[in-house]
Amino acid sequence: MSDTKFNLGIQDVAVYIPSTRIDNLAQGSQYETDSDFVLEKIGVRELPRLGEDETVTMACKQAFARLLEKTALDPNEIECIVVCTQTPDMGGIPHTSALVHAAISAPEASACFDIGLGCSGYVYCLQVVTSFMQMHGMRKGLLFTCDPYSRILDANDKNTSLLFGDAATVTLISDAPKFVSKSVKFATRGSAAEALTKKSGNLYMNGRAVFNFALTDVPKQISELIDASGMSKEQIDLFLLHQGSKFMLENTIKRIDGIADRAPVDLELTGNTVSSSIPVLLEKHLGKDGLNTILMSGFGVGLSWASAIYTKPE
């Protein structure tokens, strides 16, 4: 344990979106689903898919290569690697973070572990990794997200097959942060876990239950978080909500008055990428002028939800 105190937070984010894509309108027609439903309710025109031989580890390596293009990170400085996934390579043995460690040639003196969270995973993992690093005096860590739900979709289930896309992201957590955590709230409703789970090896989703959960519990948590932080909604520059589906997201945003112009709905070319959806959005906005305060909220599998406010370091 280290007594050294220094700011740790988000320094940069890099994203890998596979080049293989599914035309969601064409896919929708196979289910006798019209284009209005695909574009206005689900909100997804194209779905990226990992290649047949492409692994979670390979996707994370691609994201890492993009991070090296954006930053002056020396790979020899990496002290911690965490992979957030519910669809690990090789059934989770060995842990995917160990495979990523080898793939990016990270130092042997690196802590590596996986976290099995879904749509709330990015918000949770930022807190876990930052706290772990702070406790042990680490200054450079990598948080990867990759959940190719395409591997567990039931081809006969239009509710999930038309919704989920594949992506990988990596967040550099360091002692030279652009944003640091100010306030956070967590919640879990394990008694409702059956709303989003695996059955007979395939993903199962009770869309109505998930929709009601998002519209009721997520706005409540966000409002409580803002109140607890001592801030107002007007002081939040950007609201990054998990990109579940267009219809669900737009209605969730409506429940939080006055934020629609600061809460992007942007899943047309990615779909719901599970734990990657928030960092995919964050990467697009991170370097914009005038961005001082970000609220992130992830919600889904568990049922699990978490919201956090990040600000520029003082």
Side-chain angles (χ1 to χ4, degrees), residues 96-119:
T96 302
S97 54
L99 301 176
V100 172
H101 175 274
I104 67 174
S105 300
E108 192 168 286
S110 302
C112 296
F113 55 94
D114 294 359
I115 296 179
L117 279 165
C119 307

Side-chain angles (χ1 to χ4, degrees), residues 189 206-219 248 255:
R189 186 173 299 132
N206 181 332
R208 175 56 59 182
V210 174
F211 180 82
N212 290 338
F213 152 66
L215 261 64
T216 302
D217 294 290
V218 175
M248 180 176 71
R255 296 288 182 97

Side-chain angles (χ1 to χ4, degrees), residues 139-259:
R139 294 177 179 270
K140 297 287 187 294
L142 302 174
L143 168 59
F144 290 90
T145 65
C146 186
D147 252 316
Y149 269 20
S150 60
R151 305 279 168 85
I152 57 171
L153 294 180
D154 179 354
N156 296 314
D157 181 6
K158 71 175 183 180
N159 293 320
T160 55
S161 292
L162 294 172
L163 180 59
F164 290 97
D166 299 339
T169 76
V170 59
T171 299
L172 173 58
I173 298 173
S174 84
D175 57 350
K178 294 176 182 174
F179 285 91
V180 295
S181 176
K182 175 181 175 62
S183 187
V184 63
K185 281 189 174 291
F186 308 100
T188 305
R189 186 173 299 132
S191 60
E194 288 294 314
L196 195 49
T197 187
K198 279 176 69 176
K199 292 186 176 181
S200 302
N202 291 320
L203 185 67
Y204 165 80
M205 181 175 68
N206 181 332
R208 175 56 59 182
V210 174
F211 180 82
N212 290 338
F213 152 66
L215 261 64
T216 302
D217 294 290
V218 175
K220 180 181 177 182
Q221 185 184 69
I222 289 174
S223 296
E224 290 174 350
L225 174 66
I226 294 172
D227 290 343
S229 73
M231 304 181 71
S232 67
K233 284 186 294 187
E234 291 69 32
Q235 292 174 289
I236 309 294
D237 299 316
L238 183 65
F239 290 80
L240 298 181
L241 276 61
H242 168 58
Q243 305 288 291
S245 73
K246 182 179 180 182
F247 186 70
M248 180 176 71
L249 190 54
E250 287 179 339
N251 281 277
T252 301
I253 291 169
K254 286 178 183 177
R255 296 288 182 97
I256 314 166
D257 292 336
I259 73 163

